[in-house]
Amino acid sequence: MSKKRVKTDGNRGKVLIIGAGGVGGVVAHKCAQATEHFPEIILASRTLSKCQAIAAQLSRPIRTAAIDADNVPALTKFLKKEQPFLVINVALPYQDLPIMDACLNAGVHYLDTANYEPPDVAKFEYKWQWAYKDRFEKAGLMALLGSGFDPGVTNVFCAHAQKKLFDHIEQIDILDANAGDHGLPFATNFNPEINLREVSARGRYFEHGEWVETEPLSWSRMFDFPVIGPKKTFLLYHEELESLAKHIPGVKRLRFWMTFSDNYLNHMRALQNVGMLGIAPVEHQGQSIIPIQFLKTLLPDPASLGPRTKGKTNIGCLVEGVKNGKKRRVYIYNVCDHQECYREVKSQAISYTTGVPAVVGAIMMASGKWLKPGVWNMEQLDPEPFLSELAHRGLPWNVLELPVE
């Protein structure tokens, strides 16, 4: 634990949310519900009208603002003027570093839900944000990375398993199943550009101290999910594997699996085959465009899927290891219902399961339970207060004991 002094002055009840997409809407709703922690809320994005539309849905007034998160001097000036205690960054992963820079300049704590990814390289990793560790420590500021569901809650499930359920963890499989149906020919449940870059990339997993790569979506396995039943899952690389490999001592294998419908995969492969998932600029009628960004403008906005999406999600961690000298295997998970989410916060469950943990992480920081200087991943912190608050805020979780294979 760092011995540096953490910055605690300023208005702990004032929070700035950057990003007004589907997740930003959920974060605004849930922060507005948490009056005892966040009596003052500002919601900002490049498009002011999106912020105003979300604000109009809320149970109490909040302020809105237009902000270009890529403009570090302007964002720094805004932060110095407003002096929020914390920035909740639910903008694009490309904007993590500019927002972290502005927070350092202005003396504001920082939280995000996804790690940095350069716009011109389809590769996400923590090295860029981990490099900020010393600067945040010296400033007495905290940066909490990946406080969504996966990454986020899945990391905390692993920390809980390490602390309470196992003496030694040998293997972790993170499983993400969406059994929802929006009835559209093709749509993504979160930002299309980020979603399609992630899914079409090469798979990667950690085994015996090394990283092993696979062809995209070439590995699959069936898993019988509680509540939603058997589903086919595909191996992907996901960012929490990198931090868990660093922070779960002695783990032998880490993998991430996600479900996709045949319809989704067929559309994605066709788009990939004709170059629509490309991230390099191409010339079109005298203009330079990036194919995947053009595709994003054609696809449905994930924030619009809430009213039409039915079914449930199941996201959790299948953990295997040893407890009291005996092999043990458990599945720690949450089930979330799309329509229940929409009734509460006008969102489908994918945005809900990301937005709620972001607010819970912010509550951990604002309450002082997780407040310490430096750059931190979720599994490095005490899981118990977070998991208690998570259930209270709408995402109850369960532990299922499974037979040892």
Side-chain angles (χ1 to χ4, degrees):
M1 182 180 292
S2 172
K3 299 192 187 289
K4 298 280 185 180
R5 186 165 175 240
V6 69
K7 185 180 189 303
T8 56
D9 56 332
N11 185 355
R12 279 209 190 189
K14 187 173 184 177
V15 63
L16 170 65
I17 304 162
I18 300 179
V23 176
V26 175
V27 171
H29 274 272
K30 299 302 280 192
C31 281
Q33 292 174 14
T35 310
E36 71 277 28
H37 294 288
F38 306 117
E40 188 172 358
I41 301 165
I42 306 170
L43 175 62
S45 83
R46 188 179 279 113
T47 308
L48 182 61
S49 60
K50 288 186 176 182
C51 300
Q52 293 170 335
I54 292 169
Q57 299 173 355
L58 303 181
S59 58
R60 64 183 173 99
I62 68 167
R63 292 168 54 207
T64 58
I67 284 179
D68 179 357
D70 293 315
N71 187 332
V72 176
L75 181 54
T76 298
K77 183 179 179 181
F78 183 83
L79 290 174
K80 285 183 175 179
K81 173 176 172 278
E82 293 292 343
Q83 296 188 323
F85 179 74
L86 170 69
V87 165
I88 300 177
N89 169 19
V90 285
L92 292 172
Y94 318 141
Q95 297 169 313
D96 289 357
L97 301 190
I99 296 173
M100 291 178 79
D101 286 333
C103 285
L104 280 169
N105 294 342
V108 176
H109 299 290
Y110 170 89
L111 176 152
D112 66 34
T113 62
N115 70 356
Y116 177 71
E117 180 175 346
D120 56 348
V121 182
K123 184 178 184 180
F124 48 85
E125 56 183 307
Y126 277 117
K127 70 176 183 182
W128 293 286
Q129 291 181 279
W130 283 344
Y132 280 68
K133 179 177 182 291
D134 290 345
R135 290 160 65 192
F136 270 81
E137 280 189 354
K138 288 176 184 176
L141 297 172
M142 181 176 186
L144 181 61
L145 306 184
S147 190
F149 205 106
D150 47 340
V153 175
T154 50
N155 302 62
V156 180
F157 283 166
C158 292
H160 173 71
Q162 184 181 39
K163 180 179 178 180
K164 296 284 189 178
L165 306 179
F166 291 87
D167 298 323
H168 174 70
I169 292 175
E170 296 179 346
Q171 179 174 320
I172 299 169
D173 285 294
I174 298 170
L175 300 156
D176 184 326
N178 178 16
D181 181 11
H182 47 59
L184 297 172
F186 183 69
T188 63
N189 289 303
F190 60 95
N191 184 287
E193 185 179 354
I194 304 304
N195 176 274
L196 291 167
R197 280 171 59 137
E198 177 182 294
V199 174
S200 60
R202 289 175 64 82
R204 196 168 178 238
Y205 67 96
F206 181 80
E207 188 163 36
H208 300 304
E210 296 182 349
W211 291 101
V212 182
E213 287 199 359
T214 66
E215 290 299 314
L217 304 177
S218 60
W219 284 28
S220 64
R221 63 181 287 194
M222 295 295 296
F223 184 75
D224 190 1
F225 289 89
V227 181
I228 66 173
K231 300 290 177 186
K232 188 177 185 179
T233 65
F234 293 84
L235 186 139
L236 304 180
Y237 178 63
H238 224 241
E239 59 222 72
E240 63 262 52
L241 300 183
E242 182 184 13
S243 67
L244 290 171
K246 183 177 180 180
H247 298 135
I248 303 293
V251 66
K252 294 177 181 177
R253 186 164 71 184
L254 292 161
R255 300 179 298 191
F256 181 94
W257 306 84
M258 185 175 281
T259 62
F260 302 99
S261 68
D262 289 340
N263 181 64
Y264 176 96
L265 294 176
N266 291 337
H267 274 81
M268 188 196 75
R269 286 167 178 151
L271 291 166
Q272 188 172 30
N273 288 341
V274 298
M276 285 302 296
L277 304 191
I279 62 174
V282 298
E283 291 298 316
H284 175 68
Q285 296 184 348
Q287 294 187 344
S288 178
I289 66 167
I290 295 173
I292 198 169
Q293 292 183 355
F294 175 67
L295 175 63
K296 177 184 174 182
T297 66
L298 300 177
L299 292 176
D301 181 350
S304 71
L305 300 178
R308 60 185 308 134
T309 305
K310 300 177 181 178
K312 294 177 169 62
T313 63
N314 183 310
I315 312 173
C317 298
L318 179 62
V319 186
E320 300 180 42
V322 177
K323 179 68 173 178
N324 297 327
K326 295 181 179 179
K327 292 279 188 180
R328 190 179 193 188
R329 185 168 176 258
V330 302
Y331 183 53
I332 314 170
Y333 68 97
N334 162 265
V335 173
C336 196
D337 185 280
H338 286 287
Q339 290 185 304
E340 288 180 5
C341 295
Y342 186 74
R343 282 192 289 270
E344 183 191 349
V345 297
K346 306 298 182 186
S347 161
Q348 34 82 359
I350 305 301
S351 295
Y352 190 90
T353 54
T354 304
V356 172
V359 176
V360 173
I363 290 170
M364 292 296 99
M365 294 172 70
S367 65
K369 292 175 182 176
W370 274 14
L371 192 62
K372 50 187 180 179
V375 174
W376 302 93
N377 292 99
M378 303 284 281
E379 68 273 13
Q380 293 179 273
L381 304 158
D382 183 5
E384 306 315 315
F386 181 94
L387 290 176
S388 176
E389 192 71 34
L390 184 74
H392 175 63
R393 297 291 167 182
L395 291 176
W397 52 280
N398 302 280
V399 178
L400 177 64
E401 199 80 33
L402 294 173
V404 175
E405 294 182 344

